[in-house]
Amino acid sequence: MPSTPVVRRQRLANALRTSLLRHEEALQEGLRERLGPLVGEGEVLDSFHRIHEFFLKLLAAREEAMVTADEEHLAEKMDDRNPRRLRREAADEVHDILVGIRRAANGHFGTEAATEFLNIEGRTSRDPVIAYRQGTRVMERLRSTELALPASSLTDETPDREGWAARLEPALAALQNALDTVGQEEREFALTQAAKEIAVDDYDQDSGALARILEGYMILAGRRDLSEEVRPGRLRRRAQAAAEAEEETGEESPEGEAPAQTESPEPPPAAGGGSAPPRRPGTGS
């Protein structure tokens, strides 16, 4: 399942994109009105539409890179399941063989002598790493040509030392292979996690910069009423509203758009006619 932080950022990107597309005409008109008088002879006031297109392309590129990194990370997470299952099964196999060897050795030599001979005490573990270490110690004891069997014996039967080793050796090899595979998968998982974090950071940096640029454009165009729409807090609320609406209706809101007006609001008329001057920061009026 896609990660919630990435999905949340996708909704914010949609809200930002919607604001730019919805108010582009009003924004350009305001900028022409504000900057037009400053155009000198031989100078041309270029269209802002072109730069807006590049803003959208940059936002889309960052969003795509972030989603791609998230999908690769999710795929790597899914790839880990089978190796981890095989590791668990291999650890269980080593555990069961060790239990059988310990019981047989206890029957031949008694618990104390068997524990000293096999060099293993306490519970036989099912943890893959611990089981491998316990099994390796027992294998070393069984294969050692310098280590004789305990002298005391509780039975006339000859201990099957070679048989014990023959059963344990392939199980240990399988567990070692499973541990190596899971280790490789964990390294790949960490790499995709790091790539995802970089992609998210890049998105946050550029989307935040674009939002601030658009906010500044709108203020410069005399449309402070629109500038508030692209502030991070407002964008988050719109994205959340779109998500809630989608959950209720089962239909995706276009471009993550929350219920809102369909046209750019005109600034309120000032007393005596004309347009109201833009509000100053922090005045609330």
Side-chain angles (χ1 to χ4, degrees):
M1 183 175 180
S3 65
T4 299
V6 170
V7 172
R8 184 170 62 247
R9 284 172 170 82
Q10 285 185 267
R11 295 189 183 280
L12 288 173
N14 287 340
L16 180 58
R17 185 162 35 240
T18 298
S19 291
L20 178 57
L21 293 174
R22 178 194 292 164
H23 304 307
E24 181 180 23
E25 184 176 346
L27 178 59
Q28 292 194 64
E29 182 179 346
L31 288 172
R32 289 194 201 99
E33 182 178 342
R34 179 62 61 87
L35 302 179
L38 303 177
V39 177
E41 184 177 353
E43 296 179 334
V44 177
L45 183 59
D46 294 331
S47 169
F48 294 97
H49 175 72
R50 191 61 177 165
I51 190 65
H52 289 172
E53 287 184 336
F54 282 105
F55 285 169
L56 291 173
K57 287 181 178 180
L58 177 60
L59 183 63
R62 291 306 190 204
E63 182 182 3
E64 180 180 5
M66 177 180 63
V67 171
T68 298
D70 189 36
E71 288 295 329
E72 291 177 351
H73 186 57
L74 290 173
E76 187 59 45
K77 186 176 182 179
M78 293 297 294
D79 288 344
D80 287 354
R81 290 186 176 183
N82 191 55
R84 291 179 183 279
R85 178 183 61 80
L86 294 176
R87 183 185 64 175
R88 183 175 62 254
E89 293 175 354
D92 287 343
E93 178 69 12
V94 169
H95 167 272
D96 293 346
I97 292 174
L98 285 176
V99 168
I101 292 174
R102 294 184 72 178
R103 286 175 178 170
N106 289 342
H108 280 289
F109 314 119
T111 301
E112 185 176 350
T115 297
E116 182 178 352
F117 171 67
L118 296 175
N119 193 25
I120 181 173
E121 59 182 355
R123 295 176 61 86
T124 306
S125 179
R126 290 186 182 273
D127 179 273
V129 175
I130 299 176
Y132 181 78
R133 292 181 60 178
Q134 289 180 332
T136 299
R137 288 204 309 272
V138 171
M139 177 59 68
E140 290 174 353
R141 308 286 283 186
L142 294 176
R143 292 298 194 193
S144 175
T145 57
E146 300 178 357
L147 183 64
L149 291 171
S152 60
S153 178
L154 303 180
T155 176
D156 295 334
E157 297 179 6
T158 302
D160 188 11
R161 181 174 183 171
E162 184 59 35
W164 296 344
R167 290 198 302 275
L168 181 58
E169 189 170 35
L172 275 177
L175 179 53
Q176 175 66 73
N177 182 66
L179 287 168
D180 290 343
T181 300
V182 170
Q184 177 63 30
E185 292 292 337
E186 288 176 342
R187 288 188 291 273
E188 293 174 357
F189 183 84
L191 289 175
T192 58
Q193 175 69 35
K196 172 183 169 181
E197 291 174 355
I198 291 173
V200 169
D201 286 345
D202 288 343
Y203 168 84
D204 286 346
Q205 174 179 289
D206 288 350
S207 65
L210 289 176
R212 289 190 292 273
I213 290 172
L214 290 176
E215 182 182 3
Y217 271 2
M218 291 171 177
I219 293 174
L220 185 62
R223 299 302 303 271
R224 187 176 293 276
D225 54 318
L226 300 184
S227 71
E228 296 179 356
E229 188 172 309
V230 295
R231 289 179 179 174
R234 178 68 65 85
L235 287 174
R236 283 193 293 270
R237 288 193 293 273
R238 289 180 57 203
Q240 181 61 32
E244 292 173 355
E246 181 179 338
E247 290 178 358
E248 291 179 0
T249 64
E251 298 179 358
E252 183 176 358
S253 299
E255 288 299 314
E257 185 175 350
Q261 58 215 8
T262 57
E263 298 181 356
S264 302
E266 294 296 329
S275 299
R279 289 180 293 172
R280 295 186 180 183
T283 63
S285 61

